[in-house]
Amino acid sequence: MIEKSSIKIEAEPYPFAFLPGQCALLILDMQRDFLEPGGFGEMLGNDVSQLRKAIEPNRQLLAAWREAGLTVLHAREGHRPDLSDLPAAKRNRGWGKTSIGDTGPMGRILIRGQKGHDIIPELAPLPGEAIIDKPGKGAFHATDLLSILRNLDIKQMVITGVTTEVCVHTTLREANDRGYDCLIPSDCVASYFPQFHEVALKMVTAQGGIFGWVTDSARLKAALPKKA
Ligand code: C5J
């Protein structure tokens, strides 16, 4: 059902019925460890410039979202210093010589409180904006995100951040199963692997929008209400 108070945003596979007061911007994992030279992502051999393309579109969207007075949520992937929330399967699988909890140029990798775990300064949270600390890829797993969304009466989310096919997709799928409509601005998400980014976005809108909608930040910013 399209609510009368909604604002139409051009999107694929069809327009998104935006409810500004019930829509949160959720920015995922825009952390130094993933985006900055010397961080975990680069230590694994990835080209961080692929992710850095999403910084400026996110910075502008975040500024516009704040200006409109809408809900902003940030998420960070990371673990407790004693690694008690790090499953062995995650620690052991897929990583190179260095692993989560090891010491790198920005402190212990993906450990809460370490420099590398911080959100990049360009997108630093403001006081009052909730930060979801998540030990997994999805922002719902082992966090209080669902409770925050319910308490704020949020029904929709704009999801941005990194990486498109990993944490963005996992969170999007978790959100779908919990009944949230999700919109992804394509220039505000990124992957170390451009081909995965492209396909991951196509997977969102396939089959009539099986996981949600895809737009871009220009169309989304143009739809934001002006603060009274
Ligand atoms: C990854 C993420 N790629 N934030 N994390 O390990 O997508």
Side-chain angles (χ1 to χ4, degrees), residues 95 117 166 212:
W95 314 109
H117 178 263
V166 183

Side-chain angles (χ1 to χ4, degrees), residues 29 34 77 95 137 162-163 166-167:
D29 303 1
F34 294 120
E77 181 174 347
W95 314 109
K137 307 298 184 211
V162 296
T163 62
V166 183
C167 291

Side-chain angles (χ1 to χ4, degrees), residues 174-186:
E174 288 180 328
N176 258 263
D177 284 346
R178 287 162 180 81
Y180 292 92
D181 279 337
C182 297
L183 176 66
I184 297 188
S186 56

Side-chain angles (χ1 to χ4, degrees), residues 9 57 60-62 64-65 216-226:
I9 299 180
Q60 290 187 23
L61 177 62
L62 177 58
W65 202 268
D216 56 51
S217 60
R219 290 189 281 187
L220 178 52
K221 281 184 293 178
L224 289 176
K226 303 283 165 271

